[in-house]
Coordinates of all heavy atoms in Angstrom, one line a residue:
P1083 N 56.0 54.7 34.3 CA 56.0 56.0 33.8 C 57.3 56.7 33.8 O 57.9 56.8 34.9 CB 54.9 56.7 34.7 CG 54.0 55.6 35.0 CD 54.9 54.5 35.3
G1084 N 57.7 57.2 32.8 CA 59.0 57.9 32.7 C 60.2 57.1 32.7 O 61.3 57.6 32.8
K1085 N 60.1 55.8 32.6 CA 61.2 54.9 32.6 C 61.2 54.0 31.4 O 60.2 53.9 30.7 CB 61.2 54.0 33.9 CG 61.4 54.8 35.2 CD 61.5 53.8 36.3 CE 61.7 54.6 37.6 NZ 61.8 53.6 38.8
Q1086 N 62.4 53.4 31.1 CA 62.5 52.6 29.9 C 61.9 51.2 30.3 O 61.9 50.8 31.4 CB 64.0 52.4 29.5 CG 64.6 53.7 29.0 CD 66.0 53.4 28.5 OE1 66.8 52.9 29.2 NE2 66.3 53.9 27.3
R1087 N 61.6 50.5 29.2 CA 61.1 49.1 29.4 C 62.3 48.2 29.9 O 63.3 48.3 29.3 CB 60.5 48.6 28.1 CG 59.8 47.2 28.2 CD 59.1 46.8 26.9 NE 58.1 47.8 26.6 CZ 57.3 47.7 25.6 NH1 57.4 46.5 24.8 NH2 56.3 48.5 25.3
E1088 N 62.0 47.4 30.8 CA 63.1 46.5 31.3 C 62.6 45.1 31.4 O 61.4 44.8 31.5 CB 63.4 47.0 32.8 CG 62.3 46.8 33.8 CD 62.8 47.1 35.2 OE1 64.0 47.2 35.4 OE2 61.9 47.4 36.1
L1089 N 63.6 44.2 31.2 CA 63.3 42.8 31.4 C 63.0 42.4 32.8 O 63.9 42.8 33.7 CB 64.5 42.0 30.8 CG 64.4 40.5 30.9 CD1 63.3 39.9 30.1 CD2 65.7 39.8 30.6
V1090 N 62.0 41.7 33.0 CA 61.7 41.3 34.4 C 62.0 39.8 34.6 O 62.7 39.4 35.6 CB 60.2 41.4 34.7 CG1 59.8 40.9 36.1 CG2 59.8 42.9 34.6
A1091 N 61.6 39.0 33.7 CA 61.9 37.5 33.8 C 62.0 36.9 32.3 O 61.2 37.4 31.5 CB 60.9 36.8 34.6
H1092 N 62.8 35.9 32.2 CA 62.9 35.3 30.9 C 63.1 33.8 31.0 O 63.7 33.3 32.0 CB 64.1 35.9 30.2 CG 64.4 35.4 28.8 ND1 65.1 34.3 28.4 CD2 63.8 35.8 27.6 CE1 65.1 34.1 27.1 NE2 64.3 35.0 26.6
I1093 N 62.5 33.0 30.1 CA 62.6 31.6 30.1 C 62.9 31.2 28.7 O 62.2 31.5 27.7 CB 61.3 30.9 30.7 CG1 61.6 29.4 30.7 CG2 60.1 31.3 29.8 CD1 60.5 28.7 31.5
T1094 N 63.9 30.3 28.5 CA 64.3 29.8 27.2 C 63.4 28.6 26.8 O 62.6 28.1 27.6 CB 65.7 29.4 27.2 OG1 65.9 28.2 28.0 CG2 66.7 30.5 27.7
S1095 N 63.5 28.2 25.6 CA 62.7 27.0 25.2 C 63.1 25.8 25.9 O 62.3 24.9 26.0 CB 62.9 26.8 23.6 OG 64.3 26.6 23.3
G1096 N 64.4 25.8 26.5 CA 64.8 24.7 27.2 C 64.5 24.7 28.7 O 64.8 23.8 29.4
G1097 N 63.9 25.8 29.1 CA 63.4 25.9 30.4 C 64.3 26.7 31.4 O 64.0 26.9 32.6
S1098 N 65.4 27.2 30.9 CA 66.3 28.0 31.8 C 65.6 29.4 32.0 O 65.1 30.0 31.1 CB 67.7 28.2 31.1 OG 68.4 27.0 30.9
T1099 N 65.8 29.9 33.3 CA 65.2 31.1 33.6 C 66.2 32.2 34.1 O 67.3 31.8 34.5 CB 64.1 30.9 34.8 OG1 64.8 30.4 35.9 CG2 63.0 30.0 34.3
N1100 N 65.8 33.5 33.9 CA 66.7 34.5 34.3 C 65.8 35.7 34.9 O 64.6 35.9 34.3 CB 67.5 35.0 33.1 CG 68.4 36.2 33.5 OD1 69.1 36.1 34.5 ND2 68.4 37.2 32.7
Y1101 N 66.2 36.3 36.0 CA 65.3 37.3 36.6 C 66.1 38.6 36.8 O 67.3 38.6 37.1 CB 64.8 36.9 37.9 CG 63.9 35.7 37.8 CD1 64.4 34.4 37.9 CD2 62.5 35.8 37.6 CE1 63.6 33.3 37.9 CE2 61.7 34.7 37.6 CZ 62.3 33.4 37.7 OH 61.4 32.3 37.6
A1102 N 65.4 39.7 36.8 CA 66.0 41.0 37.2 C 66.3 40.9 38.7 O 65.6 40.3 39.4 CB 65.1 42.2 36.9
D1103 N 67.4 41.6 39.1 CA 67.8 41.5 40.5 C 66.7 42.1 41.4 O 66.5 41.6 42.5 CB 69.1 42.4 40.7 CG 70.3 41.7 40.1 OD1 70.3 40.5 39.9 OD2 71.3 42.4 39.9
S1104 N 65.9 43.0 40.9 CA 64.9 43.7 41.7 C 63.7 42.7 42.0 O 63.0 43.0 42.9 CB 64.4 45.0 41.0 OG 63.8 44.6 39.7
V1105 N 63.5 41.7 41.3 CA 62.4 40.8 41.5 C 62.8 39.3 41.9 O 62.0 38.5 42.2 CB 61.5 40.7 40.2 CG1 61.1 42.1 39.8 CG2 62.2 39.9 39.1
K1106 N 64.1 39.1 41.9 CA 64.6 37.8 42.2 C 64.2 37.4 43.6 O 64.4 38.1 44.6 CB 66.1 37.8 42.1 CG 66.8 36.4 42.0 CD 68.3 36.4 41.7 CE 68.5 37.0 40.3 NZ 69.9 37.0 39.9
G1107 N 63.7 36.2 43.7 CA 63.2 35.6 45.0 C 61.7 35.9 45.2 O 61.1 35.4 46.1
R1108 N 61.1 36.9 44.4 CA 59.7 37.2 44.6 C 58.9 36.8 43.4 O 57.7 36.5 43.6 CB 59.6 38.7 44.8 CG 60.3 39.3 46.0 CD 60.0 40.7 46.2 NE 60.4 41.6 45.1 CZ 59.6 42.4 44.4 NH1 58.3 42.4 44.6 NH2 60.2 43.1 43.4
F1109 N 59.4 36.9 42.2 CA 58.7 36.6 41.0 C 59.1 35.2 40.4 O 60.3 34.8 40.5 CB 58.9 37.6 39.9 CG 58.3 39.0 40.2 CD1 57.8 39.3 41.4 CD2 58.3 39.9 39.2 CE1 57.2 40.5 41.7 CE2 57.7 41.1 39.4 CZ 57.2 41.4 40.6
T1110 N 58.2 34.5 39.7 CA 58.5 33.2 39.1 C 57.9 33.2 37.8 O 56.7 33.4 37.6 CB 58.0 32.0 40.0 OG1 58.6 32.1 41.3 CG2 58.4 30.7 39.3
I1111 N 58.7 32.8 36.7 CA 58.2 32.7 35.3 C 58.0 31.2 35.0 O 58.9 30.5 35.4 CB 59.1 33.4 34.3 CG1 58.4 33.4 32.9 CG2 60.5 32.8 34.3 CD1 59.2 34.2 31.9
S1112 N 56.9 30.9 34.3 CA 56.7 29.5 34.0 C 55.9 29.4 32.7 O 55.4 30.5 32.3 CB 56.0 28.7 35.1 OG 54.7 29.3 35.4
R1113 N 55.7 28.3 32.2 CA 54.9 28.1 31.0 C 54.3 26.8 31.0 O 54.7 25.8 31.6 CB 55.8 28.3 29.7 CG 56.8 27.2 29.4 CD 57.5 27.4 28.1 NE 58.4 26.4 27.8 CZ 59.2 26.4 26.7 NH1 59.1 27.3 25.8 NH2 59.9 25.3 26.5
D1114 N 53.1 26.7 30.3 CA 52.4 25.5 30.2 C 52.2 25.3 28.6 O 51.3 25.9 28.0 CB 51.0 25.6 30.8 CG 50.2 24.3 30.8 OD1 50.4 23.5 29.9 OD2 49.4 24.1 31.8
N1115 N 53.0 24.4 28.1 CA 52.9 24.2 26.6 C 51.6 23.6 26.1 O 51.2 24.1 25.1 CB 54.1 23.2 26.2 CG 55.4 23.8 26.4 OD1 55.6 25.0 26.4 ND2 56.4 22.9 26.5
A1116 N 50.9 22.9 26.9 CA 49.7 22.3 26.5 C 48.6 23.4 26.3 O 47.7 23.3 25.5 CB 49.1 21.3 27.5
K1117 N 48.7 24.5 27.1 CA 47.8 25.6 27.1 C 48.3 26.8 26.3 O 47.6 27.7 26.2 CB 47.4 26.0 28.5 CG 46.7 25.0 29.4 CD 46.4 25.6 30.7 CE 45.7 24.5 31.6 NZ 45.4 25.0 32.9
N1118 N 49.5 26.6 25.7 CA 50.1 27.8 25.0 C 50.1 29.0 25.8 O 49.8 30.1 25.3 CB 49.4 28.0 23.7 CG 49.6 26.8 22.7 OD1 50.7 26.3 22.6 ND2 48.5 26.5 22.0
T1119 N 50.4 28.9 27.0 CA 50.4 30.0 28.0 C 51.6 30.1 28.9 O 52.1 29.1 29.3 CB 49.1 29.9 28.9 OG1 47.9 29.9 28.1 CG2 49.0 31.1 29.8
M1120 N 52.0 31.3 29.2 CA 53.1 31.5 30.2 C 52.6 32.3 31.3 O 51.6 33.1 31.1 CB 54.4 32.0 29.5 CG 54.3 33.4 29.1 SD 56.0 34.1 28.8 CE 55.7 35.8 28.3
Y1121 N 53.3 32.3 32.4 CA 52.8 32.9 33.6 C 53.9 33.7 34.3 O 55.1 33.4 34.1 CB 52.2 31.9 34.6 CG 51.2 31.1 34.0 CD1 51.5 29.8 33.5 CD2 49.8 31.4 34.0 CE1 50.5 29.0 32.9 CE2 48.8 30.6 33.5 CZ 49.2 29.4 33.0 OH 48.2 28.5 32.4
L1122 N 53.5 34.7 35.0 CA 54.4 35.4 35.9 C 53.7 35.5 37.3 O 52.8 36.3 37.5 CB 54.8 36.8 35.4 CG 55.8 37.6 36.3 CD1 57.1 36.9 36.2 CD2 55.9 39.0 35.9
Q1123 N 54.2 34.7 38.2 CA 53.7 34.7 39.6 C 54.5 35.8 40.4 O 55.7 35.7 40.4 CB 53.9 33.3 40.3 CG 53.4 33.3 41.7 CD 51.9 33.5 41.8 OE1 51.1 32.9 41.2 NE2 51.5 34.4 42.7
M1124 N 53.7 36.8 40.9 CA 54.4 37.9 41.6 C 53.9 37.9 43.1 O 52.7 38.0 43.3 CB 54.0 39.2 40.9 CG 54.3 39.3 39.4 SD 54.0 40.9 38.7 CE 52.2 40.9 38.8
N1125 N 54.9 37.7 43.9 CA 54.6 37.7 45.4 C 55.4 38.9 46.1 O 56.3 39.5 45.5 CB 55.1 36.4 46.0 CG 54.4 35.2 45.4 OD1 53.2 35.2 45.1 ND2 55.1 34.0 45.3

């Protein structure tokens, strides 16, 4: 609320990942091509 939308995590078609500094080490982005689904694990 009251803030701009920000990128949290990104994954390229080749599998390279990038994370915002605020979530690095805590969040993990992944995808399952067979299920046409991507995930964000937040710890």
Side-chain angles (χ1 to χ4, degrees):
K1085 295 185 177 181
Q1086 293 184 313
R1087 186 174 299 184
E1088 64 173 345
L1089 175 67
V1090 176
H1092 185 266
I1093 184 168
T1094 68
S1095 60
S1098 297
T1099 58
N1100 184 46
Y1101 299 91
D1103 289 339
S1104 60
V1105 308
K1106 194 171 297 183
R1108 299 188 297 120
F1109 291 9
T1110 303
I1111 186 171
S1112 62
R1113 67 178 186 177
D1114 187 332
N1115 291 335
K1117 296 181 179 180
N1118 292 319
T1119 303
M1120 72 166 176
Y1121 307 93
L1122 183 67
Q1123 178 66 48
M1124 305 184 294
N1125 299 324

